[in-house]
Amino acid sequence: MSANAAPALAIEGVAKSFGGLKVLSDVSVTLGQGECLGLIGPNGAGKTTLFNIVTGFLIPDQGRVALAGEDITRAKPDVRVRAGLVRTFQKSMAFPELSVRENLALAARSRSGEGYGWFGSRKAVVAADEAADELLTRAQLRERAELPVAGLSYGEQRIVDVLVSLAMRPRVLLLDEPTAGLSRAEGEHLIEVVRTLGEDLSTILIAHDLDIVFGVCDRVAVLDLGRLIACDTPDAIKAHEGAQAAYLGASLGEAA
Amino acid sequence: MGFYAVQSLNALSFSMLLLLTGLGLSVVLNLMNFVNLTHGSFFLLGAYVGVYWLASGAPWWLAFPVAFVAAGLAGFLLERFPFRQFYARTHLMQVLLTYGLSVIFADLMRWGFGAQILSAEIPEALRGVVFIMDMPFPIYRLFIIGFGAALAFALWFVIDRTIWGAVVRACVTDRGFVETLGLDTRRIFTAVLVISAGLGGISGALGAGILSAYPGLDEEVLILALIVVVAGGLGTFRGTVLSALLLGFAMTFSKVWVPEFSNVVALAVMAALLVALPEGLVARKVRQV
Amino acid sequence: MSSIADGTGRVEARPASERRSLPMTAKVALLALAAAIPLLFAGDYQLRFLAEILIIGTAVLSLDLLVGFGGLVSLGHAVFFGGAAYAAAIAAQTLGADVVVMLAVGIATGMASALLMGVVVMRTIALFFLILSLIVGQIVWEVVFHWREVTGGADGLRGFPVLTLHTGFATIPLNNGVALYLAALVLALAAYLAARSFVTAPIGRALLGTRERQLRMSALGYSIPRIRLMALLASGAIAGAAGALYPFVNQYVGPNAVHWTMSAMMIIMLVIGGVGSLYGAFIGSAIYLGIQTYVSSYTDRWQLVVGLVFVLTVMIMPKGVVAGLKAAFGRRKDAEGRS
Ligand SMILES: Nc1ncnc2c1ncn2[C@@H]1O[C@H](COP(=O)(O)OP(=O)(O)OP(=O)(O)O)[C@@H](O)[C@H]1O
Ligand SMILES: [Mg+2]
């Protein structure tokens, strides 16, 4: 198989336990180039754990992870990021005391490989600031550039979080409940920002808001108690009985 | 054979001192999330109290409760001010505050007790040696082992097996919640600190019999106790016991085998431990991502 | 668990000139004037004392990089400084005491010890880092203390060749108060500028990021060990440069220069002067050594005084005396303005 034909991300037979607690068993999913895959499941299903394994914060007990055909199962997190695999965290993880611009610039410099510069790095600093400002302009947050992140509204903080990831110019972006705690309008705006700013992006989106997931994702995977019980188009998932049961009555059909 | 048995007992008695001192530190760290570097001062205070008491002719066994009370009283006052203001602060701020206080106490004690080495007069009943496989071993050290083990066991029992330990730990997790149960959390914290300081005092009085009392002993003991607690995994009971044993045995046997490099070897053992296990022997599992 | 190093040293990496009213040139002129005053009024002894303040202040400055920006509170920092001091003292006996050579030896030693320290402490944080750096430091101290043939053991080393500066025209001996003071001044200034450029450069920002949120930094593609190692190397280089001049001020270097209490003293100085402010290193070193030298001539209780000053700083001015006094004055001015 040539590298081009390989899926953007392939997860094969991944399993993980914490002590006696089996959190993931035999999970296999692939993410096509340019695809948006929704990942849903009740609390504690193992969604975040799957992200942690894909991004290298945890090592799986079994199975492998491949990025564009390359095995990265045991690579360090920073290596994966430099290969274009970027994530956000369930809890906002921007640096609260640094300015919005500085937050984005940290990412931009990491991406350009100038994150460790010391003497004579003035140019890199300016370039990263410009890249940050450009993203902020396109997300209509330019006038917030100087503010510390802690001074923004919660909705804006979550957008900054996503912008920081986009400043890494990822090829694969994993979003862990980016819309949690946002109003519907804010949530939709955030997704809009990702869609317009992320070019050629393959995305996995975890969200509990099924409207959003079914609205924007090409396919949806359902995780329950660490098992992948379905992975199909939104319409098929809405009709899927196991998926319905996992959400305990919250009828998936109604959500859309 | 007898030689090694005696050396092992030596190591055990030293480990017991390390354990008792470490436990004092460990208890406040574990239960109150407070780093108290004045613990070495409590130890030295206890040591001086022990030396003077044993020389005074009063009943010898009272020396230990008296050292407990003296150091506990110091702990009680310090808890009122300024420790209380620092419970919610970062470990760094706690380290700075309590280290600064220990510098002050070190100088005050040098002022009060003088700069010379005061050795303790071991009471009649504990003087002399017993023979273990034909090798002499000081009775006083056996006393340290027995007394220390009893004390450590009592402490473990209270913390791990009674409602009191559970209440204190609940205080750290959610103070407000414990207060809604009608318990006065301030008093609970005061009690823990007094017990911890008292433990430091008792360890000092016990230790004075082999280490004597002198300016600088506070820092030496503090450093060893800190190493024990941190290498054990920050205030887990089991970890503190294991690492006290490890350090005690490493220090004793490196003195036997490589006397010139004994400290280097013992320190290297502890360093290797922390390099291999960066969160100590018994790491508390916390979910990070 | 609360981390050992947040809560202090929130640092503005912006140059001070952007924040305050005085233009840069005026400040430089003022500073130069202030630096020149001792040359007019101070005697040889005081100038040597000032040189010591500046040299130790430089070492404290290098510690500020780790503590104030990386949240790495090291109790083994004296190894970088004292190790370089020994290396320079030993090298001087065979190579002669050319100041450039001494600085090179010191910087190399400082960086080598930082590399050693870095490899060992790499994976630890917070209290674990504190204790592991302490242990490494004490191992070095044991070696220095017992290796009599090379280090002089407990007695240390004394009597070095005269420190000299070779220019194109002449060889200038740096053996009097004036010359030592000027050399220390140049060292301190260069170190300050280097440290300032470090914290404003990408690497400095990244270091700050690791202090705040390690996970986030790895998620941004940064290698935490690499950032830490670079910070340690920069810090080691600066501490090493300071250490290289240290033996020549008092013509002596002893094992206390690598002992953990030296590291603790540097932390005390740093906190008194202000963690994360860079300039505070010199203020703290001046206050500490001032108390040590001048109070001890009145009473034996100078450590009590140092301890009290330190504890009071921690309790009421956790950002250091300069920031604390500034805030107090600001408040009073505010109050006056309002009434
Ligand atoms: N590091 C860890 N140590 C122990 N248990 C863990 C760890 N990480 C996750 N778990 C457990 O694994 C299970 C799955 O957690 P995970 O965070 O992956 O769920 P999730 O699907 O993301 O849930 P949510 O929707 O609440 O975010 C939970 O029971 C959690 O407590
Ligand atoms: Mg989750």
Side-chain angles (χ1 to χ4, degrees), chain A residues 92-118:
Chain A
S92 174
M93 283 271 218
F95 298 102
E97 285 167 27
L98 300 183
S99 70
V100 173
R101 175 185 293 131
E102 190 58 43
N103 264 284
L104 268 66
L106 261 177
R109 287 195 298 262
S110 162
R111 121 112 211 153
S112 65
E114 279 153 330
Y116 307 95
W118 179 359

PDB file of all heavy atoms in Angstrom, chain A residues 92-118:
ATOM      1  N   SER A  92      -9.953  22.828  29.137  1.00  0.00           N
ATOM      2  CA  SER A  92      -9.174  23.817  28.393  1.00  0.00           C
ATOM      3  C   SER A  92      -7.746  23.831  28.910  1.00  0.00           C
ATOM      4  O   SER A  92      -7.515  23.795  30.092  1.00  0.00           O
ATOM      5  CB  SER A  92      -9.790  25.199  28.557  1.00  0.00           C
ATOM      6  OG  SER A  92      -8.942  26.142  27.947  1.00  0.00           O
ATOM      7  N   MET A  93      -6.804  23.847  27.999  1.00  0.00           N
ATOM      8  CA  MET A  93      -5.409  23.731  28.416  1.00  0.00           C
ATOM      9  C   MET A  93      -4.564  24.863  27.847  1.00  0.00           C
ATOM     10  O   MET A  93      -3.358  24.729  27.750  1.00  0.00           O
ATOM     11  CB  MET A  93      -4.835  22.409  27.948  1.00  0.00           C
ATOM     12  CG  MET A  93      -5.286  21.247  28.782  1.00  0.00           C
ATOM     13  SD  MET A  93      -4.201  20.975  30.164  1.00  0.00           S
ATOM     14  CE  MET A  93      -4.172  19.213  30.231  1.00  0.00           C
ATOM     15  N   ALA A  94      -5.202  25.969  27.451  1.00  0.00           N
ATOM     16  CA  ALA A  94      -4.386  27.101  27.024  1.00  0.00           C
ATOM     17  C   ALA A  94      -3.658  27.635  28.251  1.00  0.00           C
ATOM     18  O   ALA A  94      -4.047  27.347  29.378  1.00  0.00           O
ATOM     19  CB  ALA A  94      -5.262  28.180  26.417  1.00  0.00           C
ATOM     20  N   PHE A  95      -2.578  28.401  28.035  1.00  0.00           N
ATOM     21  CA  PHE A  95      -1.863  28.972  29.167  1.00  0.00           C
ATOM     22  C   PHE A  95      -2.601  30.210  29.627  1.00  0.00           C
ATOM     23  O   PHE A  95      -2.637  31.208  28.913  1.00  0.00           O
ATOM     24  CB  PHE A  95      -0.424  29.315  28.778  1.00  0.00           C
ATOM     25  CG  PHE A  95       0.345  28.103  28.380  1.00  0.00           C
ATOM     26  CD1 PHE A  95       0.574  27.819  27.049  1.00  0.00           C
ATOM     27  CD2 PHE A  95       0.814  27.217  29.334  1.00  0.00           C
ATOM     28  CE1 PHE A  95       1.261  26.685  26.680  1.00  0.00           C
ATOM     29  CE2 PHE A  95       1.508  26.093  28.969  1.00  0.00           C
ATOM     30  CZ  PHE A  95       1.722  25.820  27.633  1.00  0.00           C
ATOM     31  N   PRO A  96      -3.207  30.164  30.805  1.00  0.00           N
ATOM     32  CA  PRO A  96      -4.125  31.239  31.187  1.00  0.00           C
ATOM     33  C   PRO A  96      -3.441  32.590  31.350  1.00  0.00           C
ATOM     34  O   PRO A  96      -4.054  33.616  31.116  1.00  0.00           O
ATOM     35  CB  PRO A  96      -4.717  30.752  32.513  1.00  0.00           C
ATOM     36  CG  PRO A  96      -3.816  29.683  32.985  1.00  0.00           C
ATOM     37  CD  PRO A  96      -3.129  29.108  31.809  1.00  0.00           C
ATOM     38  N   GLU A  97      -2.166  32.580  31.730  1.00  0.00           N
ATOM     39  CA  GLU A  97      -1.544  33.866  32.018  1.00  0.00           C
ATOM     40  C   GLU A  97      -0.833  34.481  30.827  1.00  0.00           C
ATOM     41  O   GLU A  97      -0.461  35.639  30.852  1.00  0.00           O
ATOM     42  CB  GLU A  97      -0.570  33.720  33.175  1.00  0.00           C
ATOM     43  CG  GLU A  97      -1.338  33.610  34.462  1.00  0.00           C
ATOM     44  CD  GLU A  97      -0.471  33.154  35.573  1.00  0.00           C
ATOM     45  OE1 GLU A  97       0.744  33.409  35.499  1.00  0.00           O
ATOM     46  OE2 GLU A  97      -0.997  32.524  36.503  1.00  0.00           O
ATOM     47  N   LEU A  98      -0.617  33.660  29.800  1.00  0.00           N
ATOM     48  CA  LEU A  98      -0.001  34.229  28.608  1.00  0.00           C
ATOM     49  C   LEU A  98      -1.092  34.848  27.746  1.00  0.00           C
ATOM     50  O   LEU A  98      -2.258  34.463  27.811  1.00  0.00           O
ATOM     51  CB  LEU A  98       0.734  33.143  27.824  1.00  0.00           C
ATOM     52  CG  LEU A  98       1.863  32.438  28.576  1.00  0.00           C
ATOM     53  CD1 LEU A  98       2.559  31.445  27.670  1.00  0.00           C
ATOM     54  CD2 LEU A  98       2.865  33.436  29.122  1.00  0.00           C
ATOM     55  N   SER A  99      -0.678  35.809  26.923  1.00  0.00           N
ATOM     56  CA  SER A  99      -1.653  36.460  26.062  1.00  0.00           C
ATOM     57  C   SER A  99      -2.124  35.469  24.996  1.00  0.00           C
ATOM     58  O   SER A  99      -1.492  34.454  24.731  1.00  0.00           O
ATOM     59  CB  SER A  99      -1.028  37.679  25.395  1.00  0.00           C
ATOM     60  OG  SER A  99      -0.080  37.266  24.438  1.00  0.00           O
ATOM     61  N   VAL A 100      -3.257  35.807  24.374  1.00  0.00           N
ATOM     62  CA  VAL A 100      -3.793  34.971  23.317  1.00  0.00           C
ATOM     63  C   VAL A 100      -2.754  34.793  22.203  1.00  0.00           C
ATOM     64  O   VAL A 100      -2.495  33.680  21.741  1.00  0.00           O
ATOM     65  CB  VAL A 100      -5.081  35.605  22.754  1.00  0.00           C
ATOM     66  CG1 VAL A 100      -5.562  34.841  21.533  1.00  0.00           C
ATOM     67  CG2 VAL A 100      -6.157  35.636  23.827  1.00  0.00           C
ATOM     68  N   ARG A 101      -2.117  35.892  21.837  1.00  0.00           N
ATOM     69  CA  ARG A 101      -1.123  35.815  20.752  1.00  0.00           C
ATOM     70  C   ARG A 101       0.031  34.897  21.148  1.00  0.00           C
ATOM     71  O   ARG A 101       0.466  34.057  20.364  1.00  0.00           O
ATOM     72  CB  ARG A 101      -0.583  37.211  20.442  1.00  0.00           C
ATOM     73  CG  ARG A 101       0.546  37.175  19.405  1.00  0.00           C
ATOM     74  CD  ARG A 101       1.153  38.541  19.187  1.00  0.00           C
ATOM     75  NE  ARG A 101       0.213  39.444  18.555  1.00  0.00           N
ATOM     76  CZ  ARG A 101      -0.033  40.674  18.999  1.00  0.00           C
ATOM     77  NH1 ARG A 101       0.588  41.138  20.069  1.00  0.00           N
ATOM     78  NH2 ARG A 101      -0.882  41.446  18.373  1.00  0.00           N
ATOM     79  N   GLU A 102       0.497  35.063  22.389  1.00  0.00           N
ATOM     80  CA  GLU A 102       1.631  34.261  22.851  1.00  0.00           C
ATOM     81  C   GLU A 102       1.278  32.782  22.846  1.00  0.00           C
ATOM     82  O   GLU A 102       2.096  31.931  22.498  1.00  0.00           O
ATOM     83  CB  GLU A 102       2.031  34.729  24.254  1.00  0.00           C
ATOM     84  CG  GLU A 102       3.318  34.166  24.779  1.00  0.00           C
ATOM     85  CD  GLU A 102       4.524  34.453  23.907  1.00  0.00           C
ATOM     86  OE1 GLU A 102       4.662  35.578  23.421  1.00  0.00           O
ATOM     87  OE2 GLU A 102       5.317  33.513  23.708  1.00  0.00           O
ATOM     88  N   ASN A 103       0.052  32.467  23.215  1.00  0.00           N
ATOM     89  CA  ASN A 103      -0.404  31.079  23.181  1.00  0.00           C
ATOM     90  C   ASN A 103      -0.304  30.494  21.775  1.00  0.00           C
ATOM     91  O   ASN A 103       0.195  29.391  21.581  1.00  0.00           O
ATOM     92  CB  ASN A 103      -1.858  30.990  23.656  1.00  0.00           C
ATOM     93  CG  ASN A 103      -1.967  30.632  25.122  1.00  0.00           C
ATOM     94  OD1 ASN A 103      -1.779  29.490  25.499  1.00  0.00           O
ATOM     95  ND2 ASN A 103      -2.231  31.620  25.952  1.00  0.00           N
ATOM     96  N   LEU A 104      -0.774  31.258  20.809  1.00  0.00           N
ATOM     97  CA  LEU A 104      -0.728  30.767  19.431  1.00  0.00           C
ATOM     98  C   LEU A 104       0.704  30.732  18.912  1.00  0.00           C
ATOM     99  O   LEU A 104       1.093  29.830  18.176  1.00  0.00           O
ATOM    100  CB  LEU A 104      -1.599  31.650  18.522  1.00  0.00           C
ATOM    101  CG  LEU A 104      -3.045  31.194  18.341  1.00  0.00           C
ATOM    102  CD1 LEU A 104      -3.804  31.286  19.637  1.00  0.00           C
ATOM    103  CD2 LEU A 104      -3.737  31.997  17.255  1.00  0.00           C
ATOM    104  N   ALA A 105       1.484  31.740  19.341  1.00  0.00           N
ATOM    105  CA  ALA A 105       2.855  31.819  18.853  1.00  0.00           C
ATOM    106  C   ALA A 105       3.685  30.642  19.363  1.00  0.00           C
ATOM    107  O   ALA A 105       4.541  30.114  18.646  1.00  0.00           O
ATOM    108  CB  ALA A 105       3.484  33.144  19.278  1.00  0.00           C
ATOM    109  N   LEU A 106       3.420  30.223  20.608  1.00  0.00           N
ATOM    110  CA  LEU A 106       4.113  29.046  21.137  1.00  0.00           C
ATOM    111  C   LEU A 106       3.918  27.857  20.199  1.00  0.00           C
ATOM    112  O   LEU A 106       4.853  27.109  19.905  1.00  0.00           O
ATOM    113  CB  LEU A 106       3.544  28.678  22.506  1.00  0.00           C
ATOM    114  CG  LEU A 106       4.282  29.123  23.753  1.00  0.00           C
ATOM    115  CD1 LEU A 106       3.507  28.724  24.992  1.00  0.00           C
ATOM    116  CD2 LEU A 106       5.677  28.510  23.802  1.00  0.00           C
ATOM    117  N   ALA A 107       2.685  27.718  19.726  1.00  0.00           N
ATOM    118  CA  ALA A 107       2.387  26.617  18.814  1.00  0.00           C
ATOM    119  C   ALA A 107       3.048  26.832  17.461  1.00  0.00           C
ATOM    120  O   ALA A 107       3.658  25.919  16.898  1.00  0.00           O
ATOM    121  CB  ALA A 107       0.879  26.480  18.649  1.00  0.00           C
ATOM    122  N   ALA A 108       2.964  28.069  16.961  1.00  0.00           N
ATOM    123  CA  ALA A 108       3.515  28.349  15.633  1.00  0.00           C
ATOM    124  C   ALA A 108       5.022  28.107  15.612  1.00  0.00           C
ATOM    125  O   ALA A 108       5.567  27.559  14.644  1.00  0.00           O
ATOM    126  CB  ALA A 108       3.197  29.781  15.233  1.00  0.00           C
ATOM    127  N   ARG A 109       5.704  28.485  16.691  1.00  0.00           N
ATOM    128  CA  ARG A 109       7.157  28.281  16.728  1.00  0.00           C
ATOM    129  C   ARG A 109       7.500  26.802  16.838  1.00  0.00           C
ATOM    130  O   ARG A 109       8.469  26.336  16.252  1.00  0.00           O
ATOM    131  CB  ARG A 109       7.769  29.055  17.896  1.00  0.00           C
ATOM    132  CG  ARG A 109       7.814  30.543  17.676  1.00  0.00           C
ATOM    133  CD  ARG A 109       8.737  31.214  18.669  1.00  0.00           C
ATOM    134  NE  ARG A 109       8.269  31.009  20.031  1.00  0.00           N
ATOM    135  CZ  ARG A 109       7.556  31.905  20.713  1.00  0.00           C
ATOM    136  NH1 ARG A 109       7.235  33.057  20.165  1.00  0.00           N
ATOM    137  NH2 ARG A 109       7.177  31.656  21.941  1.00  0.00           N
ATOM    138  N   SER A 110       6.693  26.079  17.585  1.00  0.00           N
ATOM    139  CA  SER A 110       6.941  24.647  17.664  1.00  0.00           C
ATOM    140  C   SER A 110       6.818  24.030  16.277  1.00  0.00           C
ATOM    141  O   SER A 110       7.622  23.203  15.859  1.00  0.00           O
ATOM    142  CB  SER A 110       5.933  24.011  18.617  1.00  0.00           C
ATOM    143  OG  SER A 110       5.860  22.623  18.411  1.00  0.00           O
ATOM    144  N   ARG A 111       5.815  24.486  15.555  1.00  0.00           N
ATOM    145  CA  ARG A 111       5.539  23.906  14.238  1.00  0.00           C
ATOM    146  C   ARG A 111       6.647  24.271  13.247  1.00  0.00           C
ATOM    147  O   ARG A 111       7.065  23.452  12.435  1.00  0.00           O
ATOM    148  CB  ARG A 111       4.157  24.353  13.795  1.00  0.00           C
ATOM    149  CG  ARG A 111       4.055  25.091  12.557  1.00  0.00           C
ATOM    150  CD  ARG A 111       3.329  24.225  11.518  1.00  0.00           C
ATOM    151  NE  ARG A 111       3.864  24.589  10.235  1.00  0.00           N
ATOM    152  CZ  ARG A 111       3.909  23.799   9.206  1.00  0.00           C
ATOM    153  NH1 ARG A 111       3.458  22.582   9.287  1.00  0.00           N
ATOM    154  NH2 ARG A 111       4.409  24.208   8.064  1.00  0.00           N
ATOM    155  N   SER A 112       7.202  25.495  13.369  1.00  0.00           N
ATOM    156  CA  SER A 112       8.247  25.875  12.413  1.00  0.00           C
ATOM    157  C   SER A 112       9.611  25.372  12.861  1.00  0.00           C
ATOM    158  O   SER A 112      10.617  25.619  12.213  1.00  0.00           O
ATOM    159  CB  SER A 112       8.280  27.406  12.256  1.00  0.00           C
ATOM    160  OG  SER A 112       8.664  27.987  13.484  1.00  0.00           O
ATOM    161  N   GLY A 113       9.662  24.686  13.985  1.00  0.00           N
ATOM    162  CA  GLY A 113      10.928  24.130  14.456  1.00  0.00           C
ATOM    163  C   GLY A 113      11.814  25.151  15.131  1.00  0.00           C
ATOM    164  O   GLY A 113      13.000  24.927  15.338  1.00  0.00           O
ATOM    165  N   GLU A 114      11.240  26.333  15.486  1.00  0.00           N
ATOM    166  CA  GLU A 114      12.069  27.368  16.105  1.00  0.00           C
ATOM    167  C   GLU A 114      11.708  27.579  17.566  1.00  0.00           C
ATOM    168  O   GLU A 114      12.014  28.606  18.147  1.00  0.00           O
ATOM    169  CB  GLU A 114      11.912  28.678  15.324  1.00  0.00           C
ATOM    170  CG  GLU A 114      12.774  28.679  14.084  1.00  0.00           C
ATOM    171  CD  GLU A 114      12.205  29.581  12.996  1.00  0.00           C
ATOM    172  OE1 GLU A 114      10.967  29.756  12.924  1.00  0.00           O
ATOM    173  OE2 GLU A 114      13.006  30.090  12.213  1.00  0.00           O
ATOM    174  N   GLY A 115      11.065  26.580  18.126  1.00  0.00           N
ATOM    175  CA  GLY A 115      10.575  26.712  19.487  1.00  0.00           C
ATOM    176  C   GLY A 115      11.668  26.742  20.535  1.00  0.00           C
ATOM    177  O   GLY A 115      11.411  27.098  21.681  1.00  0.00           O
ATOM    178  N   TYR A 116      12.893  26.361  20.166  1.00  0.00           N
ATOM    179  CA  TYR A 116      13.958  26.290  21.169  1.00  0.00           C
ATOM    180  C   TYR A 116      15.026  27.354  20.958  1.00  0.00           C
ATOM    181  O   TYR A 116      16.099  27.281  21.537  1.00  0.00           O
ATOM    182  CB  TYR A 116      14.630  24.916  21.143  1.00  0.00           C
ATOM    183  CG  TYR A 116      13.680  23.748  21.254  1.00  0.00           C
ATOM    184  CD1 TYR A 116      13.217  23.102  20.117  1.00  0.00           C
ATOM    185  CD2 TYR A 116      13.255  23.295  22.493  1.00  0.00           C
ATOM    186  CE1 TYR A 116      12.346  22.021  20.208  1.00  0.00           C
ATOM    187  CE2 TYR A 116      12.385  22.230  22.596  1.00  0.00           C
ATOM    188  CZ  TYR A 116      11.934  21.592  21.451  1.00  0.00           C
ATOM    189  OH  TYR A 116      11.081  20.534  21.557  1.00  0.00           O
ATOM    190  N   GLY A 117      14.726  28.342  20.075  1.00  0.00           N
ATOM    191  CA  GLY A 117      15.757  29.319  19.728  1.00  0.00           C
ATOM    192  C   GLY A 117      16.141  30.213  20.891  1.00  0.00           C
ATOM    193  O   GLY A 117      15.357  30.460  21.797  1.00  0.00           O
ATOM    194  N   TRP A 118      17.366  30.697  20.882  1.00  0.00           N
ATOM    195  CA  TRP A 118      17.792  31.636  21.914  1.00  0.00           C
ATOM    196  C   TRP A 118      18.345  32.875  21.226  1.00  0.00           C
ATOM    197  O   TRP A 118      17.604  33.777  20.875  1.00  0.00           O
ATOM    198  CB  TRP A 118      18.815  30.970  22.834  1.00  0.00           C
ATOM    199  CG  TRP A 118      19.358  31.846  23.939  1.00  0.00           C
ATOM    200  CD1 TRP A 118      19.053  33.160  24.188  1.00  0.00           C
ATOM    201  CD2 TRP A 118      20.284  31.462  24.949  1.00  0.00           C
ATOM    202  NE1 TRP A 118      19.724  33.613  25.289  1.00  0.00           N
ATOM    203  CE2 TRP A 118      20.485  32.617  25.784  1.00  0.00           C
ATOM    204  CE3 TRP A 118      20.962  30.289  25.258  1.00  0.00           C
ATOM    205  CZ2 TRP A 118      21.352  32.600  26.882  1.00  0.00           C
ATOM    206  CZ3 TRP A 118      21.821  30.287  26.355  1.00  0.00           C
ATOM    207  CH2 TRP A 118      22.011  31.420  27.156  1.00  0.00           C
TER     208      TRP A 118
END
